[in-house]
Structure formats: structure tokens, C-alpha cells
Amino acid sequence: MATETLKAFDVQRVRADFPILGQQVHGRPLVYLDNAATTQKPQIVLDALTRYYTAQNANVHRGVHHLSQVATEAYDGARTKVRCFFNAGSDREIIFTRNATESINLVAQAYARPKLQPGDEVLISAMEHHSNIVPWQLVCAERGAHLRVAPMDDRGELMLEEFERLLGERTRIVAVTHMSNALGTINPVADIVRMARARNVPVLIDGSQAAYHMPVDVQALGADFYVATGHKLYGPTGIGVLYGRESRLEAMPPFLGGGDMIASVTFEKSTWNELPYKFEAGTPHIEGAIGLGAAVDYIQSVGLDGMAAHEQELLAYGTQVLEAIPGVRMIGTARRKASILSFVIDGIHPHDIGTIVDREGVAIRTGHHCAQPVMDRLGIPATARASLAMYNTREELDALGAALHKVIEVFG
Ligand SMILES: Cc1ncc(COP(=O)(O)O)c(C=O)c1O
């Protein structure tokens, strides 16, 4: 079955769906390996955005006129697509936000803030993106609570026993990434959820990286909150997703106030709209949601299993290519990882690596990848990071390898 899916995955056919990949950069074919920062968009997403503004544009949920109904149907239809993509139980559990960062802030402010008492704890992991650290720091500082950090080992694997030890009587929420953007580590989120739920502690999983590399089933996972960001899911920027268990969302106060999130308003008192609108104040990013709906349709049409197998094969190949280059050291060697090739080269600053390979048409990212504590833990200031998506090929990884040989020639 898996082999059948794999056979059906045709990377050249997939590439043809992404117009930007045909570009030349500095006179070389573009090799786009910065997918962990943002992915490129298939034509079907671009078409959905154009169609929205040429034929559907109106504000949603407010008009009786035809176009408003068309736009509302398209917007709410996108929610249903996203709900199916994550296998949530109801559209009421899918909140559209601006990005993953806003989704996490929403939970920190509307779930954690009213609950946290002085001395309470929020438990995260050592490999979080800044957007799953800072919102908790803000809310902990305000409420006199403490941020606890479950450590990782030298390969970049979460130390699960330590995590369990830190899960204490005062833990009020766990917030952990499904997949590290700096290292590629896939965390044992099912175990994390099981351990936390056994102690009645709710769990937020940051799926910003995982959601475009592997199938995610929020009901099977059992997390209370699952967060994703549209621009990594082959969709537009400015649109994010918060899945929340309905009972949790019902019990939470609103995050932002304004139009659309209310049922009634008087100067004395306002009441809140039903889910999911209670958490969507103001005119939403209508075309962003529609574009994201088209993107998840696209991912499903390609097939998540075949895509994941292709990327795993590329990850193994890319690791070989990089390890064969003298002086290259891989950063992040977890046994379960996906699509991230982070590395350093002895004596050469990652920024110089990035600049030279760019001249060869190869786009990679260099720096701390918004995960400074990961760099501190590993005792390095930065890495160079090549990150994969469904449209990458072995030839592109060979091009990265060749470009890195040039880097070594220049600096060696
Ligand atoms: C693991 C992880 N979490 C959160 C984010 C934040 O995503 P956004 O900037 O779209 O909110 C990112 C983005 O790089 C990420 O990789």
C-alpha cells in the first residue's frame, strides 16, 4: 500500500504546479531549500486568490446580498476543508487566526491567563520556536507563574523522562512543538499528551512544522489545542489555524473584542457569538482562509503519505550528501526527524555559507532560526539550514552539495 502511494508520487508533476520554481536566480535555476521558513504556493492556491478578488469579494457574515453570501460560503467552506484536513470533530473547533504565533498567544491569553495563579507552572520543551516561548513568558510574568523547560539531549531529542518529572502538581498547561524547526526532531506528541492528560493537564501542540510534512489527526492525538500556520502549509501568509477542543474553547473568554465576535452589544454589557466566531473579531482574512482551503485540498490531492515518504527519502539522501563534505557537522540527529538539514562547517560562519550558496541559486536559511535557546543548548551561535518540501529533488540536494564545495574553496 505504502509502495503504491510512493509510486504514485511524481515529483516532476508536483513541480509543474509551482510556477515560482521555474525561476532563475543569479543566472542559475532556483533551488529553493528554505521551506521551513515558508513554502511556495501551487497554482491552485494562486487561482483561488485571484478568483476571490475577481468574482467573490465582499465582507462575510453580514450581508444579505449575493456576493456577501458567496464570500461567506467560500470562507466557511475553507474552514470545513481545514477541519477535515486535521480531522477535527466540528467546524466550531477551527479558529482562523493570523498565524501560529497568534494562535499560541490566543491560548496563552484566553486560556492560561485567567487560570494561572502565583507559583503555577507552564511546561514547554527546550526546542521551542520563540513563538512558543515568549507568549508563555508574558503570561507567566503577569501572573507570577513559572516557565519550566523539559530538556533535550545532544542529538536534539526531548528527554521524555525529564519531561514527565517536570509535569508536576502546579503544571497548568503543556506547550510543545510537534516538530522542531531548527533541528527537524519529531517529538513523541502522543506520549506527551497521554502523560499530561493522565494528570488532567491540557496540552497545546505547535504543529507549524509538522502539519505540512505528515498527516495530523487531532482527534486521535487527543491534544486540547493544535496550532498551524497557513504560509507553511502551501497557503497564503496572514492566515493561521487554532484547533481547540470544543469544551475548552466554550469555557474560554474571548481573546480580541470587536465586530463579528459578539451576539449582542449594549454600553452596559456585551455577549459573545458562538464558536468559532467568538474568537474571530473583525473582518477576517477572507482570501487567506480561501487560499488555505485550496492549499489543503492540494496537499490531499498529492497525497500526504506519498509526500512524506518522498521527503524522508530526500532527507536521508541530503544527509549523505552533506556528511560527505569535509568539515560539515550535522546539527540535530534525532532518530525521528523530518525535512530539516541543519549544519555547520568548521571555521566558516553560517552567514557566509548562505551568501555564497545563494550565488549558485540555492536558497537556504542561516541564523538561530527563531530558536535561540536551541543554539545556546548546543553551544553554537547559528546554523545553516536546508529545509525540504514536497517539490524538492535529489538533483537540488546535489546542487547544494556542489555549492558547499565552492564555499569551502573560497574560505578553506
Ligand atoms: C515550530 C514553529 N512554531 C511557530 C512558528 C511561527 O510561525 P508564524 O511566524 O507563521 O506564526 C514557526 C515558524 O517558523 C515554527 O517553525
Side-chain angles (χ1 to χ4, degrees), residues 143-190:
R143 305 296 298 154
H146 304 295
L147 190 65
R148 296 274 178 257
V149 183
M152 65 178 188
D153 64 18
D154 292 342
R155 324 165 67 121
E157 288 184 4
L158 181 69
M159 297 165 80
L160 203 55
E161 280 145 41
E162 290 296 304
F163 169 83
E164 192 164 24
R165 206 178 50 74
L166 285 165
L167 199 51
E169 294 227 313
R170 300 302 302 262
T171 314
R172 293 291 168 262
I173 187 165
V174 165
V176 172
T177 192
H178 195 162
M179 175 180 156
S180 156
N181 66 308
L183 306 171
T185 308
I186 299 172
N187 276 321
V189 282

mmCIF file of all heavy atoms in Angstrom, residues 143-190:
data_model
loop_
_atom_site.group_PDB
_atom_site.id
_atom_site.type_symbol
_atom_site.label_atom_id
_atom_site.label_comp_id
_atom_site.label_asym_id
_atom_site.label_seq_id
_atom_site.Cartn_x
_atom_site.Cartn_y
_atom_site.Cartn_z
ATOM 1 N N ARG A 143 1.292 36.841 35.814
ATOM 2 C CA ARG A 143 0.531 36.119 36.839
ATOM 3 C C ARG A 143 1.402 35.559 37.956
ATOM 4 O O ARG A 143 0.909 34.850 38.828
ATOM 5 C CB ARG A 143 -0.253 34.962 36.182
ATOM 6 C CG ARG A 143 -1.155 35.377 35.030
ATOM 7 C CD ARG A 143 -2.282 36.292 35.450
ATOM 8 N NE ARG A 143 -3.160 35.621 36.397
ATOM 9 C CZ ARG A 143 -3.905 36.236 37.304
ATOM 10 N NH1 ARG A 143 -3.867 37.553 37.388
ATOM 11 N NH2 ARG A 143 -4.677 35.550 38.117
ATOM 12 N N GLY A 144 2.703 35.800 37.886
ATOM 13 C CA GLY A 144 3.594 35.261 38.933
ATOM 14 C C GLY A 144 3.789 33.758 38.801
ATOM 15 O O GLY A 144 4.080 33.062 39.778
ATOM 16 N N ALA A 145 3.620 33.249 37.598
ATOM 17 C CA ALA A 145 3.802 31.803 37.360
ATOM 18 C C ALA A 145 5.217 31.548 36.830
ATOM 19 O O ALA A 145 5.946 32.491 36.502
ATOM 20 C CB ALA A 145 2.756 31.317 36.364
ATOM 21 N N HIS A 146 5.599 30.266 36.736
ATOM 22 C CA HIS A 146 6.965 29.928 36.309
ATOM 23 C C HIS A 146 6.936 29.132 35.010
ATOM 24 O O HIS A 146 6.084 28.251 34.838
ATOM 25 C CB HIS A 146 7.663 29.072 37.370
ATOM 26 C CG HIS A 146 7.686 29.723 38.710
ATOM 27 N ND1 HIS A 146 8.381 30.888 38.959
ATOM 28 C CD2 HIS A 146 7.068 29.392 39.874
ATOM 29 C CE1 HIS A 146 8.204 31.241 40.209
ATOM 30 N NE2 HIS A 146 7.396 30.360 40.786
ATOM 31 N N LEU A 147 7.910 29.432 34.160
ATOM 32 C CA LEU A 147 8.063 28.668 32.928
ATOM 33 C C LEU A 147 9.063 27.552 33.201
ATOM 34 O O LEU A 147 10.195 27.812 33.612
ATOM 35 C CB LEU A 147 8.595 29.598 31.819
ATOM 36 C CG LEU A 147 8.585 29.032 30.409
ATOM 37 C CD1 LEU A 147 7.158 28.786 29.930
ATOM 38 C CD2 LEU A 147 9.289 29.992 29.445
ATOM 39 N N ARG A 148 8.635 26.310 32.984
ATOM 40 C CA ARG A 148 9.537 25.162 33.156
ATOM 41 C C ARG A 148 9.879 24.620 31.778
ATOM 42 O O ARG A 148 9.045 24.642 30.868
ATOM 43 C CB ARG A 148 8.868 24.060 33.972
ATOM 44 C CG ARG A 148 8.560 24.477 35.384
ATOM 45 C CD ARG A 148 9.778 24.239 36.291
ATOM 46 N NE ARG A 148 9.541 24.664 37.643
ATOM 47 C CZ ARG A 148 10.024 25.803 38.182
ATOM 48 N NH1 ARG A 148 10.769 26.617 37.467
ATOM 49 N NH2 ARG A 148 9.757 26.115 39.428
ATOM 50 N N VAL A 149 11.125 24.133 31.637
ATOM 51 C CA VAL A 149 11.594 23.716 30.310
ATOM 52 C C VAL A 149 12.106 22.279 30.364
ATOM 53 O O VAL A 149 13.090 21.993 31.060
ATOM 54 C CB VAL A 149 12.719 24.654 29.813
ATOM 55 C CG1 VAL A 149 13.153 24.259 28.420
ATOM 56 C CG2 VAL A 149 12.264 26.108 29.852
ATOM 57 N N ALA A 150 11.463 21.391 29.649
ATOM 58 C CA ALA A 150 11.931 19.997 29.589
ATOM 59 C C ALA A 150 13.157 19.940 28.677
ATOM 60 O O ALA A 150 13.117 20.453 27.552
ATOM 61 C CB ALA A 150 10.818 19.103 29.057
ATOM 62 N N PRO A 151 14.234 19.337 29.130
ATOM 63 C CA PRO A 151 15.489 19.399 28.374
ATOM 64 C C PRO A 151 15.510 18.460 27.166
ATOM 65 O O PRO A 151 14.692 17.548 27.050
ATOM 66 C CB PRO A 151 16.535 18.947 29.399
ATOM 67 C CG PRO A 151 15.777 18.097 30.360
ATOM 68 C CD PRO A 151 14.377 18.609 30.400
ATOM 69 N N MET A 152 16.498 18.705 26.297
ATOM 70 C CA MET A 152 16.753 17.776 25.183
ATOM 71 C C MET A 152 18.203 17.301 25.292
ATOM 72 O O MET A 152 19.027 17.930 25.967
ATOM 73 C CB MET A 152 16.491 18.457 23.844
ATOM 74 C CG MET A 152 17.429 19.592 23.546
ATOM 75 S SD MET A 152 17.080 20.303 21.919
ATOM 76 C CE MET A 152 18.468 21.420 21.760
ATOM 77 N N ASP A 153 18.502 16.201 24.615
ATOM 78 C CA ASP A 153 19.877 15.691 24.667
ATOM 79 C C ASP A 153 20.697 16.264 23.502
ATOM 80 O O ASP A 153 20.200 17.103 22.733
ATOM 81 C CB ASP A 153 19.883 14.153 24.703
ATOM 82 C CG ASP A 153 19.297 13.542 23.439
ATOM 83 O OD1 ASP A 153 19.204 14.252 22.415
ATOM 84 O OD2 ASP A 153 18.939 12.349 23.471
ATOM 85 N N ASP A 154 21.922 15.779 23.359
ATOM 86 C CA ASP A 154 22.825 16.358 22.350
ATOM 87 C C ASP A 154 22.370 16.103 20.916
ATOM 88 O O ASP A 154 22.772 16.821 20.002
ATOM 89 C CB ASP A 154 24.247 15.802 22.533
ATOM 90 C CG ASP A 154 24.871 16.295 23.828
ATOM 91 O OD1 ASP A 154 24.361 17.299 24.376
ATOM 92 O OD2 ASP A 154 25.839 15.658 24.296
ATOM 93 N N ARG A 155 21.582 15.045 20.692
ATOM 94 C CA ARG A 155 21.084 14.799 19.328
ATOM 95 C C ARG A 155 19.902 15.696 19.013
ATOM 96 O O ARG A 155 19.445 15.739 17.865
ATOM 97 C CB ARG A 155 20.581 13.364 19.155
ATOM 98 C CG ARG A 155 21.319 12.289 19.890
ATOM 99 C CD ARG A 155 20.479 10.997 19.897
ATOM 100 N NE ARG A 155 20.381 10.469 18.557
ATOM 101 C CZ ARG A 155 20.792 9.251 18.201
ATOM 102 N NH1 ARG A 155 21.317 8.446 19.080
ATOM 103 N NH2 ARG A 155 20.653 8.838 16.958
ATOM 104 N N GLY A 156 19.343 16.329 20.055
ATOM 105 C CA GLY A 156 18.149 17.148 19.829
ATOM 106 C C GLY A 156 16.872 16.367 20.074
ATOM 107 O O GLY A 156 15.822 16.690 19.513
ATOM 108 N N GLU A 157 16.973 15.322 20.919
ATOM 109 C CA GLU A 157 15.753 14.575 21.272
ATOM 110 C C GLU A 157 15.263 15.026 22.643
ATOM 111 O O GLU A 157 16.067 15.208 23.568
ATOM 112 C CB GLU A 157 16.036 13.066 21.304
ATOM 113 C CG GLU A 157 16.239 12.489 19.926
ATOM 114 C CD GLU A 157 16.418 10.969 19.934
ATOM 115 O OE1 GLU A 157 16.313 10.342 20.999
ATOM 116 O OE2 GLU A 157 16.680 10.437 18.845
ATOM 117 N N LEU A 158 13.953 15.154 22.752
ATOM 118 C CA LEU A 158 13.359 15.515 24.043
ATOM 119 C C LEU A 158 13.631 14.404 25.052
ATOM 120 O O LEU A 158 13.493 13.216 24.734
ATOM 121 C CB LEU A 158 11.841 15.698 23.866
ATOM 122 C CG LEU A 158 11.064 16.096 25.109
ATOM 123 C CD1 LEU A 158 11.411 17.520 25.526
ATOM 124 C CD2 LEU A 158 9.567 15.972 24.865
ATOM 125 N N MET A 159 14.007 14.792 26.280
ATOM 126 C CA MET A 159 14.243 13.779 27.316
ATOM 127 C C MET A 159 12.916 13.532 28.028
ATOM 128 O O MET A 159 12.532 14.261 28.943
ATOM 129 C CB MET A 159 15.350 14.267 28.255
ATOM 130 C CG MET A 159 16.661 14.421 27.472
ATOM 131 S SD MET A 159 17.922 15.372 28.317
ATOM 132 C CE MET A 159 18.563 14.132 29.420
ATOM 133 N N LEU A 160 12.247 12.494 27.574
ATOM 134 C CA LEU A 160 10.853 12.271 27.963
ATOM 135 C C LEU A 160 10.690 12.009 29.466
ATOM 136 O O LEU A 160 9.703 12.435 30.071
ATOM 137 C CB LEU A 160 10.280 11.118 27.135
ATOM 138 C CG LEU A 160 8.769 11.073 26.979
ATOM 139 C CD1 LEU A 160 8.216 12.369 26.408
ATOM 140 C CD2 LEU A 160 8.355 9.889 26.106
ATOM 141 N N GLU A 161 11.684 11.306 30.043
ATOM 142 C CA GLU A 161 11.569 11.057 31.493
ATOM 143 C C GLU A 161 11.654 12.362 32.279
ATOM 144 O O GLU A 161 10.938 12.558 33.266
ATOM 145 C CB GLU A 161 12.667 10.110 31.974
ATOM 146 C CG GLU A 161 12.333 8.668 31.683
ATOM 147 C CD GLU A 161 13.551 7.847 31.347
ATOM 148 O OE1 GLU A 161 14.581 8.031 32.014
ATOM 149 O OE2 GLU A 161 13.456 7.043 30.394
ATOM 150 N N GLU A 162 12.546 13.240 31.809
ATOM 151 C CA GLU A 162 12.667 14.556 32.464
ATOM 152 C C GLU A 162 11.371 15.337 32.285
ATOM 153 O O GLU A 162 10.906 16.025 33.196
ATOM 154 C CB GLU A 162 13.826 15.350 31.855
ATOM 155 C CG GLU A 162 15.188 14.805 32.190
ATOM 156 C CD GLU A 162 15.446 14.888 33.685
ATOM 157 O OE1 GLU A 162 15.345 15.993 34.231
ATOM 158 O OE2 GLU A 162 15.725 13.838 34.292
ATOM 159 N N PHE A 163 10.821 15.232 31.081
ATOM 160 C CA PHE A 163 9.547 15.906 30.822
ATOM 161 C C PHE A 163 8.501 15.434 31.831
ATOM 162 O O PHE A 163 7.804 16.233 32.457
ATOM 163 C CB PHE A 163 9.080 15.629 29.384
ATOM 164 C CG PHE A 163 7.669 16.066 29.122
ATOM 165 C CD1 PHE A 163 7.387 17.388 28.801
ATOM 166 C CD2 PHE A 163 6.601 15.171 29.253
ATOM 167 C CE1 PHE A 163 6.080 17.808 28.600
ATOM 168 C CE2 PHE A 163 5.299 15.584 29.058
ATOM 169 C CZ PHE A 163 5.039 16.906 28.721
ATOM 170 N N GLU A 164 8.426 14.126 31.993
ATOM 171 C CA GLU A 164 7.406 13.571 32.901
ATOM 172 C C GLU A 164 7.663 14.011 34.345
ATOM 173 O O GLU A 164 6.738 14.299 35.097
ATOM 174 C CB GLU A 164 7.376 12.042 32.804
ATOM 175 C CG GLU A 164 6.152 11.483 33.496
ATOM 176 C CD GLU A 164 5.846 10.048 33.127
ATOM 177 O OE1 GLU A 164 6.776 9.324 32.712
ATOM 178 O OE2 GLU A 164 4.664 9.661 33.269
ATOM 179 N N ARG A 165 8.970 14.094 34.701
ATOM 180 C CA ARG A 165 9.313 14.512 36.059
ATOM 181 C C ARG A 165 8.875 15.970 36.307
ATOM 182 O O ARG A 165 8.440 16.327 37.387
ATOM 183 C CB ARG A 165 10.826 14.380 36.247
ATOM 184 C CG ARG A 165 11.284 14.169 37.673
ATOM 185 C CD ARG A 165 12.790 13.992 37.754
ATOM 186 N NE ARG A 165 13.534 15.032 37.039
ATOM 187 C CZ ARG A 165 13.703 16.290 37.437
ATOM 188 N NH1 ARG A 165 13.173 16.694 38.568
ATOM 189 N NH2 ARG A 165 14.404 17.147 36.717
ATOM 190 N N LEU A 166 8.994 16.780 35.245
ATOM 191 C CA LEU A 166 8.640 18.205 35.391
ATOM 192 C C LEU A 166 7.130 18.465 35.376
ATOM 193 O O LEU A 166 6.662 19.557 35.678
ATOM 194 C CB LEU A 166 9.306 19.020 34.280
ATOM 195 C CG LEU A 166 10.803 19.250 34.473
ATOM 196 C CD1 LEU A 166 11.442 19.735 33.180
ATOM 197 C CD2 LEU A 166 11.045 20.271 35.582
ATOM 198 N N LEU A 167 6.411 17.435 34.943
ATOM 199 C CA LEU A 167 4.949 17.556 34.882
ATOM 200 C C LEU A 167 4.422 17.425 36.309
ATOM 201 O O LEU A 167 4.186 16.320 36.789
ATOM 202 C CB LEU A 167 4.441 16.417 33.990
ATOM 203 C CG LEU A 167 3.087 16.448 33.357
ATOM 204 C CD1 LEU A 167 2.840 17.742 32.620
ATOM 205 C CD2 LEU A 167 2.984 15.280 32.382
ATOM 206 N N GLY A 168 4.296 18.562 36.989
ATOM 207 C CA GLY A 168 4.030 18.475 38.435
ATOM 208 C C GLY A 168 2.629 18.922 38.798
ATOM 209 O O GLY A 168 1.792 19.205 37.941
ATOM 210 N N GLU A 169 2.417 19.010 40.081
ATOM 211 C CA GLU A 169 1.117 19.403 40.629
ATOM 212 C C GLU A 169 0.714 20.812 40.234
ATOM 213 O O GLU A 169 -0.456 21.134 40.184
ATOM 214 C CB GLU A 169 1.216 19.386 42.155
ATOM 215 C CG GLU A 169 1.428 18.017 42.737
ATOM 216 C CD GLU A 169 0.498 17.786 43.888
ATOM 217 O OE1 GLU A 169 0.418 18.691 44.741
ATOM 218 O OE2 GLU A 169 -0.172 16.733 43.900
ATOM 219 N N ARG A 170 1.754 21.668 39.982
ATOM 220 C CA ARG A 170 1.443 23.057 39.660
ATOM 221 C C ARG A 170 1.382 23.306 38.149
ATOM 222 O O ARG A 170 1.179 24.433 37.715
ATOM 223 C CB ARG A 170 2.502 24.001 40.270
ATOM 224 C CG ARG A 170 2.640 23.942 41.779
ATOM 225 C CD ARG A 170 1.337 24.265 42.521
ATOM 226 N NE ARG A 170 0.754 25.549 42.254
ATOM 227 C CZ ARG A 170 0.900 26.644 43.018
ATOM 228 N NH1 ARG A 170 1.649 26.599 44.077
ATOM 229 N NH2 ARG A 170 0.278 27.766 42.711
ATOM 230 N N THR A 171 1.620 22.255 37.330
ATOM 231 C CA THR A 171 1.594 22.469 35.877
ATOM 232 C C THR A 171 0.164 22.744 35.423
ATOM 233 O O THR A 171 -0.726 21.923 35.641
ATOM 234 C CB THR A 171 2.130 21.232 35.114
ATOM 235 O OG1 THR A 171 3.336 20.796 35.736
ATOM 236 C CG2 THR A 171 2.387 21.554 33.657
ATOM 237 N N ARG A 172 -0.024 23.881 34.767
ATOM 238 C CA ARG A 172 -1.379 24.241 34.338
ATOM 239 C C ARG A 172 -1.580 24.044 32.840
ATOM 240 O O ARG A 172 -2.681 23.925 32.357
ATOM 241 C CB ARG A 172 -1.683 25.705 34.694
ATOM 242 C CG ARG A 172 -1.759 25.950 36.183
ATOM 243 C CD ARG A 172 -2.997 25.288 36.824
ATOM 244 N NE ARG A 172 -2.892 25.301 38.266
ATOM 245 C CZ ARG A 172 -2.472 24.270 39.012
ATOM 246 N NH1 ARG A 172 -2.169 23.118 38.451
ATOM 247 N NH2 ARG A 172 -2.373 24.360 40.317
ATOM 248 N N ILE A 173 -0.492 24.044 32.083
ATOM 249 C CA ILE A 173 -0.595 23.745 30.647
ATOM 250 C C ILE A 173 0.781 23.309 30.137
ATOM 251 O O ILE A 173 1.814 23.756 30.656
ATOM 252 C CB ILE A 173 -1.153 24.945 29.828
ATOM 253 C CG1 ILE A 173 -1.415 24.533 28.369
ATOM 254 C CG2 ILE A 173 -0.245 26.170 29.909
ATOM 255 C CD1 ILE A 173 -2.284 25.501 27.567
ATOM 256 N N VAL A 174 0.756 22.398 29.161
ATOM 257 C CA VAL A 174 1.972 21.963 28.465
ATOM 258 C C VAL A 174 1.885 22.518 27.043
ATOM 259 O O VAL A 174 0.818 22.462 26.423
ATOM 260 C CB VAL A 174 2.027 20.416 28.416
ATOM 261 C CG1 VAL A 174 3.052 19.936 27.402
ATOM 262 C CG2 VAL A 174 2.324 19.849 29.797
ATOM 263 N N ALA A 175 2.993 23.081 26.557
ATOM 264 C CA ALA A 175 3.007 23.594 25.177
ATOM 265 C C ALA A 175 4.305 23.126 24.518
ATOM 266 O O ALA A 175 5.391 23.564 24.893
ATOM 267 C CB ALA A 175 2.917 25.118 25.178
ATOM 268 N N VAL A 176 4.169 22.222 23.551
ATOM 269 C CA VAL A 176 5.355 21.568 22.976
ATOM 270 C C VAL A 176 5.223 21.523 21.457
ATOM 271 O O VAL A 176 4.127 21.334 20.922
ATOM 272 C CB VAL A 176 5.481 20.126 23.542
ATOM 273 C CG1 VAL A 176 6.581 19.362 22.828
ATOM 274 C CG2 VAL A 176 5.764 20.157 25.033
ATOM 275 N N THR A 177 6.363 21.654 20.796
ATOM 276 C CA THR A 177 6.317 21.581 19.342
ATOM 277 C C THR A 177 6.220 20.131 18.870
ATOM 278 O O THR A 177 6.812 19.236 19.469
ATOM 279 C CB THR A 177 7.553 22.269 18.716
ATOM 280 O OG1 THR A 177 7.319 22.409 17.316
ATOM 281 C CG2 THR A 177 8.849 21.500 18.925
ATOM 282 N N HIS A 178 5.470 19.945 17.789
ATOM 283 C CA HIS A 178 5.362 18.610 17.186
ATOM 284 C C HIS A 178 6.667 18.290 16.456
ATOM 285 O O HIS A 178 7.135 17.164 16.479
ATOM 286 C CB HIS A 178 4.178 18.616 16.206
ATOM 287 C CG HIS A 178 3.723 17.255 15.780
ATOM 288 N ND1 HIS A 178 2.500 17.043 15.214
ATOM 289 C CD2 HIS A 178 4.317 16.036 15.799
ATOM 290 C CE1 HIS A 178 2.356 15.755 14.921
ATOM 291 N NE2 HIS A 178 3.453 15.131 15.262
ATOM 292 N N MET A 179 7.236 19.328 15.833
ATOM 293 C CA MET A 179 8.480 19.131 15.082
ATOM 294 C C MET A 179 9.326 20.400 15.196
ATOM 295 O O MET A 179 8.821 21.508 15.011
ATOM 296 C CB MET A 179 8.122 18.876 13.614
ATOM 297 C CG MET A 179 9.317 18.765 12.720
ATOM 298 S SD MET A 179 8.797 18.474 11.014
ATOM 299 C CE MET A 179 10.251 19.119 10.192
ATOM 300 N N SER A 180 10.611 20.214 15.499
ATOM 301 C CA SER A 180 11.497 21.371 15.687
ATOM 302 C C SER A 180 11.884 21.992 14.341
ATOM 303 O O SER A 180 12.334 21.283 13.438
ATOM 304 C CB SER A 180 12.761 20.925 16.430
ATOM 305 O OG SER A 180 13.831 21.801 16.149
ATOM 306 N N ASN A 181 11.748 23.311 14.256
ATOM 307 C CA ASN A 181 12.114 23.993 13.009
ATOM 308 C C ASN A 181 13.624 24.118 12.864
ATOM 309 O O ASN A 181 14.133 24.247 11.757
ATOM 310 C CB ASN A 181 11.477 25.385 12.947
ATOM 311 C CG ASN A 181 12.036 26.310 14.008
ATOM 312 O OD1 ASN A 181 12.058 25.968 15.185
ATOM 313 N ND2 ASN A 181 12.505 27.471 13.596
ATOM 314 N N ALA A 182 14.363 24.064 13.983
ATOM 315 C CA ALA A 182 15.817 24.240 13.904
ATOM 316 C C ALA A 182 16.526 22.909 13.684
ATOM 317 O O ALA A 182 17.600 22.875 13.066
ATOM 318 C CB ALA A 182 16.326 24.901 15.179
ATOM 319 N N LEU A 183 15.927 21.817 14.169
ATOM 320 C CA LEU A 183 16.626 20.521 14.174
ATOM 321 C C LEU A 183 15.904 19.428 13.387
ATOM 322 O O LEU A 183 16.504 18.410 13.059
ATOM 323 C CB LEU A 183 16.786 20.034 15.624
ATOM 324 C CG LEU A 183 17.450 21.020 16.591
ATOM 325 C CD1 LEU A 183 17.337 20.509 18.015
ATOM 326 C CD2 LEU A 183 18.906 21.227 16.198
ATOM 327 N N GLY A 184 14.628 19.603 13.171
ATOM 328 C CA GLY A 184 13.846 18.576 12.473
ATOM 329 C C GLY A 184 13.297 17.488 13.376
ATOM 330 O O GLY A 184 12.513 16.647 12.926
ATOM 331 N N THR A 185 13.674 17.489 14.640
ATOM 332 C CA THR A 185 13.198 16.467 15.587
ATOM 333 C C THR A 185 11.668 16.374 15.583
ATOM 334 O O THR A 185 10.990 17.414 15.675
ATOM 335 C CB THR A 185 13.618 16.850 17.029
ATOM 336 O OG1 THR A 185 15.009 17.115 17.036
ATOM 337 C CG2 THR A 185 13.247 15.749 18.014
ATOM 338 N N ILE A 186 11.173 15.138 15.493
ATOM 339 C CA ILE A 186 9.726 14.935 15.675
ATOM 340 C C ILE A 186 9.531 14.464 17.109
ATOM 341 O O ILE A 186 10.096 13.437 17.514
ATOM 342 C CB ILE A 186 9.176 13.881 14.692
ATOM 343 C CG1 ILE A 186 9.409 14.343 13.242
ATOM 344 C CG2 ILE A 186 7.693 13.628 14.945
ATOM 345 C CD1 ILE A 186 9.076 13.292 12.206
ATOM 346 N N ASN A 187 8.763 15.206 17.861
ATOM 347 C CA ASN A 187 8.560 14.850 19.264
ATOM 348 C C ASN A 187 7.488 13.767 19.420
ATOM 349 O O ASN A 187 6.561 13.684 18.608
ATOM 350 C CB ASN A 187 8.159 16.103 20.062
ATOM 351 C CG ASN A 187 9.373 16.885 20.492
ATOM 352 O OD1 ASN A 187 10.397 16.304 20.874
ATOM 353 N ND2 ASN A 187 9.284 18.203 20.425
ATOM 354 N N PRO A 188 7.605 12.973 20.479
ATOM 355 C CA PRO A 188 6.607 11.913 20.741
ATOM 356 C C PRO A 188 5.340 12.524 21.318
ATOM 357 O O PRO A 188 5.033 12.366 22.504
ATOM 358 C CB PRO A 188 7.332 11.011 21.747
ATOM 359 C CG PRO A 188 8.269 11.915 22.458
ATOM 360 C CD PRO A 188 8.665 13.012 21.499
ATOM 361 N N VAL A 189 4.610 13.244 20.476
ATOM 362 C CA VAL A 189 3.490 14.052 20.995
ATOM 363 C C VAL A 189 2.365 13.190 21.584
ATOM 364 O O VAL A 189 1.704 13.605 22.530
ATOM 365 C CB VAL A 189 2.934 15.037 19.927
ATOM 366 C CG1 VAL A 189 3.838 16.241 19.784
ATOM 367 C CG2 VAL A 189 2.716 14.370 18.596
ATOM 368 N N ALA A 190 2.194 11.974 21.038
ATOM 369 C CA ALA A 190 1.135 11.118 21.594
ATOM 370 C C ALA A 190 1.481 10.755 23.045
ATOM 371 O O ALA A 190 0.606 10.769 23.922
ATOM 372 C CB ALA A 190 0.972 9.858 20.741
#
